[in-house]
Amino acid sequence: MYRPPAFREDRLEVLHALIDSHRLGTIVTHGANGLEANLVPFTLDRSRGPHGTLKAHLARANEQFAAFRDGGEALVIFQGAESYITPSWYASKQEHGKVVPTWNYVLVEARGRPIVIEDPAWLMAQISELTDINEGKRPDPWAVSDAPGPYVAAQLKGIFGIEIEISRIQGKWKASQNRPEADRAGVAQGLSAEGQTEMAALVERR
């Protein structure tokens, strides 16, 4: 990943926080069928490995299963907030006009070797954890135990799990850090006016 110094992010707690808030990752592998990619929701175990361990489950019919079995390295990309940035928001547009559009975004890349897991108890635990995370703040949260036991057991037969102990992790926070202060203020104001509050807050913090 191309990371100019202004946009580098290597603080593990910041990278983990983005994974927690944007769990749907793109997992990319290279195997006998060439490059393959799928969108998969992940949970993160901070206690395992120096950079943490990612956990997920996929359908057995997924053709990427063979690539996981081969044991090659996988790349998982977590995309956070992203926004088009118009030069009309820059104070420097009025000063000299030497400005162009760009795109702000934040993302994390994590790499490691997936291990395939087919243990029903592990699968049940991972699915329950992922469900509880996403249902926990709802007024009437749904739980895996709400579904009939035989139905859940049958569903588990159609999936497999993966664990990826993260060997390398890096982030890129492109949030107008390379612009003058007046330009950054204009970007934050413009984003807020368009309802893009997450990116606006990132620009203000950076």
Side-chain angles (χ1 to χ4, degrees):
M1 175 168 56
Y2 173 58
R3 297 198 304 161
F7 304 141
R8 294 174 65 97
E9 180 55 77
D10 294 310
R11 292 172 295 173
L12 190 59
E13 68 275 15
V14 175
L15 305 181
H16 280 176
L18 185 132
I19 293 173
D20 284 340
S21 61
H22 297 81
R23 294 183 178 277
L24 190 65
T26 301
I27 183 165
V28 184
T29 56
H30 186 273
N33 297 324
L35 285 170
E36 295 180 281
N38 281 284
L39 283 165
V40 182
F42 285 86
T43 54
L44 172 65
D45 185 348
R46 287 170 165 78
S47 68
R48 294 183 54 196
H51 307 299
T53 296
L54 296 170
K55 301 179 180 181
H57 64 274
L58 299 90
R60 283 189 175 276
N62 193 313
E63 293 180 355
Q64 205 169 15
F65 182 76
F68 295 137
R69 280 287 198 200
D70 289 344
E73 188 179 51
L75 167 67
V76 187
I77 303 166
F78 296 93
Q79 173 74 60
E82 52 84 18
S83 299
Y84 171 76
I85 305 299
T86 172
S88 299
W89 291 336
Y90 293 155
S92 54
K93 174 183 178 293
Q94 310 302 325
E95 297 171 5
H96 49 67
K98 297 177 182 179
V99 292
V100 294
T102 191
W103 215 283
N104 277 1
Y105 55 88
V106 296
L107 63 85
V108 169
E109 286 187 355
R111 299 171 189 265
R113 296 186 181 276
I115 297 173
V116 173
I117 300 175
E118 301 179 87
D119 175 33
W122 185 98
L123 291 168
M124 176 65 83
Q126 198 275 330
I127 291 171
S128 297
E129 180 187 11
L130 183 62
T131 300
D132 293 345
I133 288 169
N134 288 283
E135 292 280 344
K137 295 182 180 179
R138 296 180 180 276
D140 186 21
W142 183 87
V144 175
S145 58
D146 291 345
Y151 171 78
V152 173
Q155 294 295 305
L156 291 178
K157 293 178 181 179
I159 63 174
F160 65 94
I162 56 170
E163 283 189 347
I164 304 172
E165 183 175 324
I166 301 171
S167 59
R168 289 180 290 163
I169 187 169
Q170 60 182 0
K172 184 174 181 178
W173 260 241
K174 186 174 181 296
S176 299
Q177 305 98 307
N178 58 330
R179 302 301 308 179
E181 183 177 351
D183 285 1
R184 294 198 302 272
V187 168
Q189 183 178 3
L191 289 167
S192 295
E194 292 187 353
Q196 299 186 68
T197 55
E198 186 177 1
M199 180 54 73
L202 285 168
V203 172
E204 289 175 345
R205 288 200 299 269
R206 293 271 158 169

